[in-house]
């Protein structure tokens, strides 16, 4: 009886020692993780300004600081694993097996991360830029760029979260990458009989009077070419129905392009009312001369009817129905 009690007492003592030892290791590991998290926040706070001044791009700054935070947390996790009694070889084996299993599941995410690195390196757009997705005909502001996705805040007050693998395959127009000024154009077809120079002056004046348009100044350089900064109306084409004019002008900011275009068109429309200028539209003149042949004309019920009108009337009547004139012609 005494031996049995001694054995039970020894087993309970070993169990309590094991629990106490594991609890101490668990508490130590948890403490290491908490300290690692606070250390990562402190390091990011201390390095935030120097990193921002070094890269001068919000997307790269966020990525570098996120990498520093992840590196510190990985180091803290390794120390916590050691505190729990895991050996380095066991940790390496576990990570290898875990990565092999998740590699198949997370392949799309890994692809987005790799494409995210290319996006950050190629710099097609930056946080705050206004871009247009050509295939969706959608404009918006780049809200955030991560290694996995790009977040776009559209002009329709919605968010688009697009994986970076898809962003690299799209045609993207960046309106504010280097210079926020954008060049627009407006075409106007006027008649040959009107005053073309007055029409050009009206178009240029309508653009200059719009607040969002660049009125003038030094030429604007694009690559090796230079373009006038002031609005200029050109004669683009001598078209079939009139003279096609093309107004080229620069907008200061690319954020309200449809509104600016509408303002200029309204001013042009108002000023054309008192000008010797008419907007052309497709029309045709039929001219008959000595080479056009002869059209027979007859009198029916006091009205002059030509062959053309008779043929038109014949086409518009139901099949089989004849007029009195046609009956007379058939009998004769």
């Amino acid at each position: 009886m005494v031996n049995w009690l001694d054995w039970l007492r020894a087993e309970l003592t070993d169990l309590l020692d094991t629990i106490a030892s594991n609890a101490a290791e668990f508490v130590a590991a948890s403490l290491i993780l908490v300290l690692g998290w606070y250390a990562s926040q402190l390091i990011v706070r201390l390095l935030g300004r120097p990193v921002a001044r070094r890269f001068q791009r919000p997307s790269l700054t966020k990525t570098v600081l996120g990498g520093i935070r992840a590196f510190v947390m990985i180091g803290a996790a390794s120390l916590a694993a050691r505190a729990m009694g895991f050996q380095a070889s066991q940790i390496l084996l576990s990570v290898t097996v875990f990565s092999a299993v998740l590699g198949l599941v997370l392949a799309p995410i890994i692809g987005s991360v790799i494409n995210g690195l290319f996006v950050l390196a190629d710099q097609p757009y930056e946080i705050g830029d206004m871009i247009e997705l050509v295939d969706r005909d959608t404009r918006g502001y780049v809200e955030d760029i991560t290694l996995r996705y790009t977040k776009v805040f559209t002009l329709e007050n919605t968010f688009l979260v697009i994986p970076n693998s898809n962003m690299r395959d799209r045609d993207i127009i960046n309106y504010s990458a280097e210079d926020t000024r954008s060049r627009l154009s407006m075409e106007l077809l006027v008649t040959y009989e009107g005053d073309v120079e007055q029409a050009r002056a009206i178009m240029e004046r309508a653009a200059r009077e719009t607040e969002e348009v660049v009125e003038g100044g030094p030429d604007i350089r694009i690559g090796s070419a230079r373009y006038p900064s002031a609005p200029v109306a050109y004669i683009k084409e001598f078209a079939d129905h009139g003279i096609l004019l093309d107004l080229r002008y620069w907008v200061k900011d690319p954020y309200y392009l449809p509104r600016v275009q509408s303002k200029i068109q309204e001013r042009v429309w108002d000023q054309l009312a008192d000008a010797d200028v008419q907007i052309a539209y497709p029309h045709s003149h039929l001219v008959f001369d000595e080479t056009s042949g002869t059209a027979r004309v007859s009198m029916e019920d006091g009205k002059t009817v030509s062959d053309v009108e008779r043929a038109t009337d014949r086409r518009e009547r139901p099949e089989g129905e004849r007029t009195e004139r046609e009956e007379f012609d058939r009998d004769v």
Side-chain angles (χ1 to χ4, degrees):
M1 187 67 178
V2 176
N3 294 333
W4 182 81
L5 291 176
D6 293 338
W7 175 82
L8 180 60
R9 186 180 299 107
E11 290 295 330
L12 290 175
T13 302
D14 294 339
L15 179 61
L16 292 176
D17 292 340
T18 303
I19 294 175
S21 176
N22 291 336
E25 294 175 353
F26 179 77
V27 171
S30 301
L31 184 60
I32 291 174
L33 291 177
V34 172
L35 292 177
W37 185 82
Y38 278 107
S40 66
Q41 297 295 324
L42 179 61
I43 293 174
V44 167
R45 186 177 301 176
L46 294 176
L47 297 180
R49 291 180 181 273
V51 171
R53 287 194 298 266
R54 173 64 178 82
F55 293 99
Q56 297 180 354
R57 291 182 56 196
S59 57
L60 280 179
T61 300
K62 293 182 63 176
T63 302
V64 171
L65 294 179
I68 294 174
R69 184 182 295 109
F71 180 78
V72 174
M73 290 303 302
I74 291 175
S78 300
L79 294 177
R82 289 187 179 182
M84 293 289 295
F86 289 99
Q87 301 296 326
S89 59
Q90 296 175 343
I91 296 175
L92 181 60
L93 180 61
S94 300
V95 170
T96 303
V97 175
F98 187 72
S99 300
V101 173
L102 291 185
L104 298 176
V105 180
L106 302 179
I109 298 178
I110 296 174
S112 295
V113 170
I114 295 175
N115 283 280
L117 293 175
F118 282 108
V119 168
L120 294 175
D122 297 338
Q123 305 179 20
Y125 48 81
E126 187 51 73
I127 296 176
D129 286 352
M130 182 179 182
I131 64 173
E132 178 180 351
L133 305 177
V134 178
D135 57 337
R136 298 176 60 98
D137 192 21
T138 301
R139 294 180 183 178
Y141 300 95
V142 179
E143 183 73 14
D144 193 13
I145 305 173
T146 68
L147 289 177
R148 294 187 296 108
Y149 61 83
T150 297
K151 184 184 291 186
V152 180
F153 188 72
T154 68
L155 300 183
E156 288 78 22
N157 197 27
T158 58
F159 269 117
L160 286 177
V161 180
I162 307 174
N164 290 324
S165 57
N166 293 337
M167 290 297 291
R168 294 193 68 233
D169 296 333
R170 293 175 181 267
D171 292 332
I172 299 175
I173 300 176
N174 193 335
Y175 288 96
S176 53
E178 301 294 338
D179 192 342
T180 58
R181 294 174 296 186
S182 300
R183 196 183 191 196
L184 301 181
S185 63
M186 185 191 74
E187 294 184 349
L188 180 65
L189 187 66
V190 299
T191 61
Y192 283 97
E193 297 78 13
D195 190 342
V196 177
E197 290 303 321
Q198 187 178 11
R200 295 174 60 184
I202 289 175
M203 297 173 69
E204 294 174 358
R205 183 168 59 251
R208 285 195 302 268
E209 292 175 353
T210 304
E211 181 182 358
E212 295 85 355
V213 175
V214 178
E215 299 180 8
D219 292 343
I220 297 177
R221 182 174 180 177
I222 301 180
S224 59
R226 294 181 180 272
Y227 298 93
S229 57
V232 180
Y234 300 96
I235 297 178
K236 185 176 182 179
E237 181 183 356
F238 293 103
D240 295 336
H241 304 288
I243 300 177
L244 183 61
L245 304 179
D246 186 17
L247 173 67
R248 297 294 184 93
Y249 59 95
W250 292 87
V251 180
K252 299 176 183 177
D253 298 307
Y255 308 126
Y256 307 104
L257 300 183
R259 182 187 304 177
V260 176
Q261 292 173 325
S262 178
K263 286 183 178 180
I264 295 176
Q265 292 173 356
E266 290 175 2
R267 287 189 168 91
V268 170
W269 178 259
D270 293 338
Q271 296 179 23
L272 286 178
D274 301 327
D276 185 20
V277 178
Q278 292 183 350
I279 298 178
Y281 56 90
H283 59 280
S284 300
H285 292 285
L286 299 179
V287 179
F288 296 93
D289 54 17
E290 64 276 1
T291 64
S292 303
T294 304
R296 293 180 300 172
V297 180
S298 61
M299 296 295 295
E300 293 184 1
D301 298 331
K303 297 181 179 179
T304 302
V305 181
S306 66
D307 290 344
V308 176
E309 293 175 342
R310 187 179 293 110
T312 303
D313 179 64
R314 191 179 296 119
R315 287 196 302 271
E316 294 177 351
R317 278 200 320 276
E319 184 178 358
E321 183 179 341
R322 296 185 177 91
T323 63
E324 295 180 359
R325 177 66 181 178
E326 290 174 340
E327 293 288 346
F328 174 78
D329 293 340
R330 185 177 63 83
D331 294 340
V332 173

